[in-house]
Every structure is written in C-alpha cells, then in structure tokens.
Amino acid sequence: MVITFQLTTIGILGILVGMGIGYITRHIIASRRTLQAESRAQEIILRAQKESIRIIEATKSEDQEARSRITRLETAALEREREAHEAAHEAETLRDTLRKEREALTQERHAYVHALGQVGDMSIADARKMLLEHVQEQADEDLVKRMHALEQSARESLEKRAQQILTSTIQRYAKSHVAELTTTTVQLPSDEVKGRLIGKEGRNIKTFERVAGVDLIVDDTPQTVVISGFDPYRRQVARIALEKLVIDGRINPVRIEESVKLAREEVHEKIREAGQAAILETGVGMMDPKLVMLLGRLAFRTSFGQNVLLHSIEMAHIAGMLAAELGGDVLIAKRGALLHDIGKAVDHEVPGTHVDIGRKILQKFNIDPRVIHAMESHHEEYPYVTLESRIVQAADAISAARPGARRDTAEAYIKRMEDLERVAMTFQGVEKAYAVQAGRELRMFVHPKEISDSAAVFLAREIAKKVEQEVKYPGEIKVTVIRETRAIEYAR
C-alpha cells in the first residue's frame, strides 16, 4: 500500500516536472520566435525606410526635371510670343506703309487724271488707259534695271567661280613642257665609226639617208652624229637603226636596210606600248587594239612643237578635273580629250581635216556618240552639243597655252616639210618622198616599172613646178627623182 502510494506520488511528480519542462520549453521557443519576428519586422521596416528614401529622392529629381522642362517651355513660349508680337508689329507697320503708299498713289492718279482733264478734252476711260500705260512703262524700266543688276552680279559670281576652277585644275596638273626639236643626237664609241658610217665614196651614208628618210650629219663634233628630220617617227627609226649598226660593227648597204627594217618593227611595238600606257595613265577604260595603235602613233606627231600624245594625255587629266568640278560626265570628257587629235595619226595619209578624220575613225570603231560630240568641237568646226564638248575645248586651250608648250616657228618649218612630201606623193608612180636637208631638197623614189628614165626627168620638172605654185619657202629646193631597179634571187 505504501509502495503503491509512493509510486503514485512519483508518477504525479514526474508528470508535474514534465509539464514544467514542457512549459519552459514552449516559453523559450515562443520567446525565440518572438525575437525572430521582431528582427524580421525590424529588417522590413529598415528596407521600407530605405525604399521610401529612394522613392522620395527619385521623386524630387523628377520634380526638378519637370520644373526645368516647364521653365524651358515657358521661356520658349515667351520667346515665340515675343517674336509673334514683333512680327505682328512689323506686319502692321508694313500694312500702314502700304496703305499710305496706296493712298499717295491714288491721290497722284486722281491729280494726274484731273490734270489730263484740264489739259485736254479727254474722257475718264482714256485717262485711265494712259495712266496704266505710264505705270506699265515705269514697272518695265524697274524690272529691266533689276534684271541688269542680277545679270551683272551673276556674271561676276560665275567669272570668279570659273577662275577658281581653272586655277585649281591647272595647279593640280602642272606638268612641264619641252617643245620637240627636229634633230636627234647619237653618241658613238669612237670617231673611227664615222668613217665606216660614211663608207666608200659616201655609199653607206647615202643608203642610210635614202632608206631612213632623214639627213645624217657627220661633222667635227667628237664621237657624235646628228640625225636631222622633221618627222619624229623617222628620227626614232633612224636612231635605233644607227645604234644597232654601231653595236653590230658591220656597216654596209645590206646591213643598213636590215637594221632600218628591224628598227621600224621595234618602233611599231613602242607605238603600241605608248598607246596602252596613255590609256592606263588616263584611266579611260579598254579600247580596240587598232585604236590603241592609232593613239600610240601620236607619240611621233607634233603640233607647234608639242608632242601630240603628251598633249592629249594632259588634256584628258584637265578635262576630267573640269568635268568633276562642273558636274559633267568625267569618263566622257576624258575620252573625248584623249581622242580629240586621233585624226592626226593618219592625216598625212587621208585627205581632210584631222577633226573630220578623227570623227570617221571613232565612228568606225563604234565609239560612244557622246565621246564624238566631245572631241569634234575643240576647234569650233562643229557646234557645242554637250557640256563635255565645251570642257574638251577648254582643256585644249589650257594645255596649248602653257608657257613653252608650243613653238610657232618649228611648226611652220614642219608644215613646209609636210607640204613638200604631200605635193610629191600626188604624182602617179611615186613610191616614197622625203623632204631632207632642212627642206632644201626633195627626194622621191619611183616605181621603175611605171616611170622610165626619160619620164623621171619630166616628173622632176613637173614636181618642181607644182612646188613653186603650192608651197611657200625661202631660197630654192632641189628636186631629185631616184629610179632604182633591183634583181633579187635566192640560192637554195
């Protein structure tokens, strides 16, 4: 019994202790949760305070910007209002001025009509008509005066602009010029070669002059021989042939003829290279190979002492720059300038002016008609159809007018030499004609089957008479007709 009571008492105590421990535990847990909740609440409050501060600051910044915009808008509105008031004031002033002028004009018209009525027996309709005519005359005079003033101002402005364009173009392409002469100097390794060039009884030098169509001047100048001739092509052929003979050492009539033939082939290749180089330098695009050859032949043509190919290349550059400044077609202008003297490549072979010959050549090769229009007007033989035609004419004048570019005296001499050869070639049976000895001698080679010995004498007399009639020259000209028969056979 006692034991049972004790056990019961112990159990009750255990329960009470457990309840106390549970209560304490729950209290501790509740306290911790309360502290955690308070900490989280404090963090939330701090974050809320920071966010509130940020929002307030952002709101203040936006408010300041809004105020600034409002201020600017108000300022702009006030400025526009002020301008509107000023414009309205100016308009009102102008209306007042016009009203006063209209009133003055009306008074003047009434006075004029009244005066007319007093002077003569004129109706109101007639007076009104006369008044209108008078006002119209005054208005026309004012209009003409204003037009003249505008034209003068525009002319001065355009002249100034043109001077600026031309000055800029000339400065951008300031190429030096040297007028070509009519002689070429060849250096020899020794004076001994001179005797071999002359040959026995002058046989070699006569053959060289006959085949090359130039004069070979062998004087006392040490180790020097001068090739004289008005045609640059012949001089170039003669120079190359002479250099080949000197290097080879074998100088005789047969070798001379072979060397001249090889030199002509070499110069032919140089002509092709000169034409291609001109096209590449000017950047005008591809052309027909035959047209390139004709262009290259201009390297051996001169105009008043100025090399025609160099002149054409310079013109192409100048025309391109002018076209770019004036709003023209640069490629058309450059092509027209480069090909403007293409007729001079064959004008000694084909009748007609070099402009007409050039037009036919370009038409034959199906060149753009705009290019033909651009080149055909550079001597004003044809009307200016396009802007590029005027540009080419201006480029031609600029290139030719450069100091030292041309020599009139040399050109007159060359023209006389060409006329001599042209006259000789008009006779039937003449194979080749060379003006030599500075134009003092005209040598012609005839076909032996067409011209007999007696006919050669008659031909020389007829040519001399025609030269006297058609060519102006100082002194006298020796006319020589050469008839030569050759028999050639090969041993195989």
Side-chain angles (χ1 to χ4, degrees), residues 96-110:
D96 292 339
T97 303
L98 291 175
R99 184 172 59 254
K100 291 177 181 179
E101 291 180 354
R102 189 181 298 109
E103 292 175 354
L105 183 60
T106 301
Q107 293 176 0
E108 183 179 355
R109 186 174 65 245
H110 288 323

mmCIF file of all heavy atoms in Angstrom, residues 96-110:
data_model
loop_
_atom_site.group_PDB
_atom_site.id
_atom_site.type_symbol
_atom_site.label_atom_id
_atom_site.label_comp_id
_atom_site.label_asym_id
_atom_site.label_seq_id
_atom_site.Cartn_x
_atom_site.Cartn_y
_atom_site.Cartn_z
ATOM 1 N N ASP A 96 0.577 99.631 -92.731
ATOM 2 C CA ASP A 96 0.419 101.086 -92.680
ATOM 3 C C ASP A 96 1.183 101.753 -93.814
ATOM 4 O O ASP A 96 0.676 102.688 -94.468
ATOM 5 C CB ASP A 96 0.909 101.615 -91.331
ATOM 6 C CG ASP A 96 0.003 101.170 -90.187
ATOM 7 O OD1 ASP A 96 -1.161 100.815 -90.468
ATOM 8 O OD2 ASP A 96 0.468 101.163 -89.027
ATOM 9 N N THR A 97 2.419 101.252 -94.065
ATOM 10 C CA THR A 97 3.227 101.831 -95.139
ATOM 11 C C THR A 97 2.560 101.634 -96.489
ATOM 12 O O THR A 97 2.479 102.556 -97.321
ATOM 13 C CB THR A 97 4.625 101.198 -95.144
ATOM 14 O OG1 THR A 97 5.236 101.397 -93.861
ATOM 15 C CG2 THR A 97 5.502 101.827 -96.215
ATOM 16 N N LEU A 98 2.088 100.398 -96.715
ATOM 17 C CA LEU A 98 1.420 100.113 -97.982
ATOM 18 C C LEU A 98 0.145 100.952 -98.141
ATOM 19 O O LEU A 98 -0.174 101.432 -99.236
ATOM 20 C CB LEU A 98 1.083 98.617 -98.075
ATOM 21 C CG LEU A 98 2.287 97.673 -98.226
ATOM 22 C CD1 LEU A 98 1.815 96.226 -98.178
ATOM 23 C CD2 LEU A 98 3.005 97.943 -99.533
ATOM 24 N N ARG A 99 -0.575 101.093 -97.034
ATOM 25 C CA ARG A 99 -1.808 101.881 -97.100
ATOM 26 C C ARG A 99 -1.495 103.334 -97.446
ATOM 27 O O ARG A 99 -2.177 103.962 -98.273
ATOM 28 C CB ARG A 99 -2.559 101.794 -95.762
ATOM 29 C CG ARG A 99 -3.917 102.509 -95.788
ATOM 30 C CD ARG A 99 -4.711 102.251 -94.523
ATOM 31 N NE ARG A 99 -4.002 102.681 -93.333
ATOM 32 C CZ ARG A 99 -3.417 101.868 -92.465
ATOM 33 N NH1 ARG A 99 -3.458 100.550 -92.664
ATOM 34 N NH2 ARG A 99 -2.799 102.334 -91.396
ATOM 35 N N LYS A 100 -0.415 103.842 -96.814
ATOM 36 C CA LYS A 100 -0.039 105.227 -97.098
ATOM 37 C C LYS A 100 0.411 105.368 -98.562
ATOM 38 O O LYS A 100 0.060 106.333 -99.242
ATOM 39 C CB LYS A 100 1.078 105.665 -96.161
ATOM 40 C CG LYS A 100 0.634 105.805 -94.717
ATOM 41 C CD LYS A 100 1.818 106.183 -93.829
ATOM 42 C CE LYS A 100 1.375 106.308 -92.362
ATOM 43 N NZ LYS A 100 2.511 106.649 -91.478
ATOM 44 N N GLU A 101 1.224 104.364 -99.037
ATOM 45 C CA GLU A 101 1.668 104.426 -100.424
ATOM 46 C C GLU A 101 0.497 104.320 -101.385
ATOM 47 O O GLU A 101 0.453 104.995 -102.422
ATOM 48 C CB GLU A 101 2.685 103.312 -100.699
ATOM 49 C CG GLU A 101 4.023 103.516 -99.990
ATOM 50 C CD GLU A 101 4.989 102.393 -100.291
ATOM 51 O OE1 GLU A 101 4.581 101.413 -100.958
ATOM 52 O OE2 GLU A 101 6.164 102.485 -99.850
ATOM 53 N N ARG A 102 -0.469 103.446 -101.039
ATOM 54 C CA ARG A 102 -1.646 103.291 -101.898
ATOM 55 C C ARG A 102 -2.456 104.589 -101.933
ATOM 56 O O ARG A 102 -2.938 105.024 -102.989
ATOM 57 C CB ARG A 102 -2.516 102.131 -101.392
ATOM 58 C CG ARG A 102 -3.637 101.761 -102.362
ATOM 59 C CD ARG A 102 -4.486 100.631 -101.818
ATOM 60 N NE ARG A 102 -3.722 99.417 -101.638
ATOM 61 C CZ ARG A 102 -3.390 98.915 -100.443
ATOM 62 N NH1 ARG A 102 -3.767 99.520 -99.328
ATOM 63 N NH2 ARG A 102 -2.691 97.803 -100.357
ATOM 64 N N GLU A 103 -2.596 105.193 -100.750
ATOM 65 C CA GLU A 103 -3.320 106.455 -100.710
ATOM 66 C C GLU A 103 -2.605 107.533 -101.507
ATOM 67 O O GLU A 103 -3.230 108.307 -102.253
ATOM 68 C CB GLU A 103 -3.486 106.899 -99.252
ATOM 69 C CG GLU A 103 -4.424 106.002 -98.438
ATOM 70 C CD GLU A 103 -4.464 106.397 -96.976
ATOM 71 O OE1 GLU A 103 -3.670 107.304 -96.597
ATOM 72 O OE2 GLU A 103 -5.256 105.805 -96.222
ATOM 73 N N ALA A 104 -1.248 107.567 -101.359
ATOM 74 C CA ALA A 104 -0.487 108.568 -102.116
ATOM 75 C C ALA A 104 -0.616 108.327 -103.613
ATOM 76 O O ALA A 104 -0.755 109.267 -104.408
ATOM 77 C CB ALA A 104 0.984 108.522 -101.687
ATOM 78 N N LEU A 105 -0.541 107.010 -104.011
ATOM 79 C CA LEU A 105 -0.676 106.677 -105.420
ATOM 80 C C LEU A 105 -2.065 107.046 -105.945
ATOM 81 O O LEU A 105 -2.225 107.557 -107.065
ATOM 82 C CB LEU A 105 -0.411 105.182 -105.632
ATOM 83 C CG LEU A 105 -0.445 104.675 -107.075
ATOM 84 C CD1 LEU A 105 0.603 105.390 -107.921
ATOM 85 C CD2 LEU A 105 -0.228 103.165 -107.120
ATOM 86 N N THR A 106 -3.087 106.806 -105.111
ATOM 87 C CA THR A 106 -4.454 107.145 -105.524
ATOM 88 C C THR A 106 -4.593 108.655 -105.702
ATOM 89 O O THR A 106 -5.176 109.133 -106.694
ATOM 90 C CB THR A 106 -5.451 106.640 -104.475
ATOM 91 O OG1 THR A 106 -5.296 105.228 -104.337
ATOM 92 C CG2 THR A 106 -6.877 106.957 -104.899
ATOM 93 N N GLN A 107 -4.042 109.396 -104.757
ATOM 94 C CA GLN A 107 -4.096 110.855 -104.874
ATOM 95 C C GLN A 107 -3.360 111.341 -106.116
ATOM 96 O O GLN A 107 -3.840 112.226 -106.838
ATOM 97 C CB GLN A 107 -3.510 111.502 -103.615
ATOM 98 C CG GLN A 107 -4.340 111.273 -102.353
ATOM 99 C CD GLN A 107 -3.683 111.847 -101.118
ATOM 100 O OE1 GLN A 107 -2.601 112.424 -101.207
ATOM 101 N NE2 GLN A 107 -4.342 111.685 -99.967
ATOM 102 N N GLU A 108 -2.175 110.712 -106.348
ATOM 103 C CA GLU A 108 -1.397 111.099 -107.517
ATOM 104 C C GLU A 108 -2.158 110.766 -108.798
ATOM 105 O O GLU A 108 -2.147 111.546 -109.765
ATOM 106 C CB GLU A 108 -0.049 110.380 -107.502
ATOM 107 C CG GLU A 108 0.878 110.788 -108.656
ATOM 108 C CD GLU A 108 2.209 110.067 -108.587
ATOM 109 O OE1 GLU A 108 2.433 109.325 -107.599
ATOM 110 O OE2 GLU A 108 3.015 110.243 -109.514
ATOM 111 N N ARG A 109 -2.827 109.601 -108.829
ATOM 112 C CA ARG A 109 -3.584 109.222 -110.016
ATOM 113 C C ARG A 109 -4.754 110.201 -110.238
ATOM 114 O O ARG A 109 -5.014 110.626 -111.367
ATOM 115 C CB ARG A 109 -4.115 107.792 -109.859
ATOM 116 C CG ARG A 109 -4.792 107.290 -111.129
ATOM 117 C CD ARG A 109 -5.195 105.835 -111.030
ATOM 118 N NE ARG A 109 -6.208 105.622 -110.019
ATOM 119 C CZ ARG A 109 -6.026 104.912 -108.910
ATOM 120 N NH1 ARG A 109 -4.863 104.345 -108.693
ATOM 121 N NH2 ARG A 109 -6.995 104.769 -108.017
ATOM 122 N N HIS A 110 -5.443 110.532 -109.146
ATOM 123 C CA HIS A 110 -6.556 111.477 -109.264
ATOM 124 C C HIS A 110 -6.057 112.827 -109.777
ATOM 125 O O HIS A 110 -6.692 113.450 -110.649
ATOM 126 C CB HIS A 110 -7.259 111.650 -107.925
ATOM 127 C CG HIS A 110 -8.066 110.445 -107.526
ATOM 128 N ND1 HIS A 110 -8.772 109.671 -108.427
ATOM 129 C CD2 HIS A 110 -8.284 109.871 -106.309
ATOM 130 C CE1 HIS A 110 -9.385 108.686 -107.813
ATOM 131 N NE2 HIS A 110 -9.101 108.776 -106.486
#
